[in-house]
Amino acid sequence: DTEVTQTPKHLVMGMTNKKSLKCEQHMGHRAMYWYKQKAKKPPELMFVYSYEKLSINESVPSRFSPECPNSSLLNLHLHALQPEDSALYLCASSLSGDTQYFGPGTRLTVL
Amino acid sequence: GENVEQHPSTLSVQEGDSAVIKCTYSDSASNYFPWYKQELGKRPQLIIDIRSNVGEKKDQRIAVTLNKTAKHFSLHITETQPEDSAVYFCAARGSNTGKLIFGQGTTLQVKP
């Protein structure tokens, strides 16, 4: 398996909902990332996990909660989001911390 | 702080022409420079990358050049095709944090 996969592809949620985004890779990569991307803007780093430990948190609001259950999985738990959080959420992985491979993303809409 | 500037923001060329996108980075210790292509509604896809110990790298119609002295790197696409139309992002790996610092993107339109 040479790809990063993400589920769901699309998600619509209300501001009081709790939902989770999932990311999976089976390439043996030890670094995994969450990015947020608005239309025609570059990906904006949110979190980095290295060897299953959170190594970077880019001052993301606590309504976003990352989790790395094992070396192949990465979750992003969402709670009490705001409409401005609507975006494409991208997961990426890297073997050695430089070349990053992106998943297809989850298109999130917050109503 | 670490910063990458990318120009132009939009680029329109005729099919068969060449396209050049330029990026300048601020962190002189950056050592890894990838380029991503993102089609509408798709993931950013790595198309080519270069490390600081190399000045140029080619892959078919795509090439990247790096000038460490000027802290400048460029993407060159020759014989452009309509399917090259996309948003292209350059990035530089920051030496302190290891994070990828992205440019603001270039929307390339190739007219048939």
Side-chain angles (χ1 to χ4, degrees), chain A residues 3-4 35 37 40-43 45 48 56 58 88 90 96-105 107, chain B residues 32 34 36 38 40-46 49 51 87 89 93 97-100 102-105 107:
Chain A
E3 277 201 340
V4 178
Y35 287 88
Q37 188 180 30
K40 296 207 170 178
K41 295 291 186 183
L45 184 65
V48 181
I56 294 178
E58 292 287 273
L88 180 67
L90 292 161
S96 56
D98 48 19
T99 306
Q100 294 184 23
Y101 298 94
F102 285 88
R107 176 73 59 187
Chain B
Y32 174 68
Y36 288 89
Q38 189 172 26
L40 193 62
K42 301 282 184 68
R43 76 183 79 194
Q45 184 176 14
L46 179 72
D49 55 11
R51 298 180 192 279
V87 180
F89 293 103
R93 185 173 186 263
T97 62
K99 299 186 297 186
L100 284 184
F102 285 89
Q104 287 302 302
T107 300

Side-chain angles (χ1 to χ4, degrees), chain A residues 19-90:
Chain A
K19 297 286 185 183
S20 295
L21 310 184
K22 296 191 175 184
C23 173
E24 193 165 359
Q25 58 87 15
H26 295 287
M27 297 179 280
H29 290 179
R30 309 310 291 192
M32 296 185 76
Y33 310 78
W34 279 116
Y35 287 88
K36 173 183 178 180
Q37 188 180 30
K38 293 281 196 179
K40 296 207 170 178
K41 295 291 186 183
E44 183 183 331
L45 184 65
M46 301 174 72
F47 303 103
V48 181
Y49 273 84
S50 179
Y51 291 90
E52 302 168 46
K53 294 192 187 304
L54 183 65
S55 60
I56 294 178
N57 177 338
E58 292 287 273
S59 303
V60 178
S62 60
R63 57 186 184 268
F64 295 92
S65 176
E67 179 195 19
C68 189
N70 60 56
S71 61
S72 299
L73 293 174
L74 186 65
N75 297 323
L76 185 64
H77 302 296
L78 315 173
H79 174 56
L81 295 192
Q82 304 297 309
E84 58 265 29
D85 296 323
S86 298
L88 180 67
Y89 287 84
L90 292 161

Side-chain angles (χ1 to χ4, degrees), chain A residues 5-17:
Chain A
T5 60
Q6 288 186 245
T7 56
K9 288 185 179 180
H10 301 276
L11 179 62
V12 179
M13 60 186 291
M15 290 190 284
T16 59
N17 292 158

Side-chain angles (χ1 to χ4, degrees), chain B residues 60-74:
Chain B
Q60 299 183 336
R61 296 185 297 108
I62 294 173
V64 56
T65 58
L66 172 65
N67 182 328
K68 286 190 296 183
T69 302
K71 292 189 287 185
H72 173 97
F73 60 113
S74 300

Side-chain angles (χ1 to χ4, degrees), chain B residues 1-62:
Chain B
E2 299 163 330
N3 185 51
V4 174
E5 292 189 4
Q6 182 172 347
H7 298 281
S9 57
T10 59
L11 180 59
S12 182
V13 300
Q14 287 295 133
E15 182 177 1
D17 287 351
S18 295
V20 180
I21 302 171
K22 300 181 179 182
C23 290
T24 304
Y25 59 98
S26 61
D27 181 358
S28 57
S30 291
N31 59 7
Y32 174 68
F33 308 90
W35 285 89
Y36 288 89
K37 173 185 179 182
Q38 189 172 26
E39 297 176 61
L40 193 62
K42 301 282 184 68
R43 76 183 79 194
Q45 184 176 14
L46 179 72
I47 56 171
I48 196 166
D49 55 11
I50 193 168
R51 298 180 192 279
S52 57
N53 58 347
V54 176
E56 184 176 1
K57 184 176 179 181
K58 286 184 180 179
D59 183 2
Q60 299 183 336
R61 296 185 297 108
I62 294 173

